[in-house]
Amino acid sequence: MTDKLILTDDLFIGAGGHQATYIHPIDKSKCIKIPHTPDDGDVKKELRYRRICKDKLENSQLITKYFGFVDTDKGLGHVFERVLDLNGQTSKDLKDFLPTGEPNEAELKNIKNLLINFKTDFLREKIAIVDTDITNFMVQEIAPNEYKMRIVDNIGTPVAIPLVYYFDFAAAWKCKRYWNFLVDWLHRHYPKVISEELYNVLKV
């Protein structure tokens, strides 16, 4: 019988509607997500997607890697890749990354490159996501002033027969639909960041 991992308060990263996230106490490159309830449907949905589409997700540039479960003092936890910036700190989610005021030229350039590259990767990989909550996307600094989007939550679909798991055309259709939802949302809520010109470039 293995000892439980102890998750102290200083390891806490944050909490969402379904899970609390902690830095792995032994391996700082990983994090542990603890569901608020043992039978959380959102967690089951993601694990089902990862299991069925394992081969597809193996080389994903967007989805964080999953390493299995572990016993902790806060209950059963699931171990994932931790999204880290160059400085070793946890990356910001897209909500915290986007400026709330008037963006400067450098910020606009970084955001434009980030979203255009994300569009390319997302449409190529045809990842199934449930909603377009921008806190589900992390912005990882991979080089000085160079960023990459990662998807960390609300992955999969709750439908009983998930056609998007088995049929590429269904996955592509759903992916384009959700991408346009995301671009529309960003254009409405961040009009100073997502100009009409950039909006037209991003739409599919």
Side-chain angles (χ1 to χ4, degrees), residues 151-177:
I151 305 173
V152 297
D153 210 351
N154 271 343
I155 303 164
T157 177
V159 300
I161 303 175
L163 297 179
V164 297
Y165 292 4
Y166 302 103
F167 299 101
D168 195 64
F169 75 89
W173 176 83
K174 193 72 172 287
C175 186
K176 289 179 181 178
R177 185 167 176 259

Side-chain angles (χ1 to χ4, degrees), residues 53-116:
C53 299
K54 181 180 179 181
D55 292 340
K56 172 183 175 179
L57 300 178
E58 185 69 28
N59 297 313
S60 172
Q61 299 298 306
L62 300 179
I63 299 291
T64 51
K65 295 187 181 303
Y66 175 62
F67 301 101
F69 59 88
V70 67
D71 198 16
T72 81
D73 63 324
K74 301 186 184 302
L76 186 71
H78 297 276
V79 183
F80 292 86
E81 171 192 359
R82 183 180 167 207
V83 182
L84 300 171
D85 286 339
L86 284 175
N87 60 7
Q89 298 300 306
T90 302
S91 301
K92 294 179 179 179
D93 63 40
L94 184 57
K95 182 178 180 180
D96 289 336
F97 181 80
L98 292 174
T100 55
E102 190 78 37
N104 59 45
E105 186 175 341
E107 288 175 326
L108 286 174
K109 180 180 178 181
N110 287 335
I111 294 166
K112 179 180 179 180
N113 290 336
L114 172 74
L115 293 176
I116 289 176

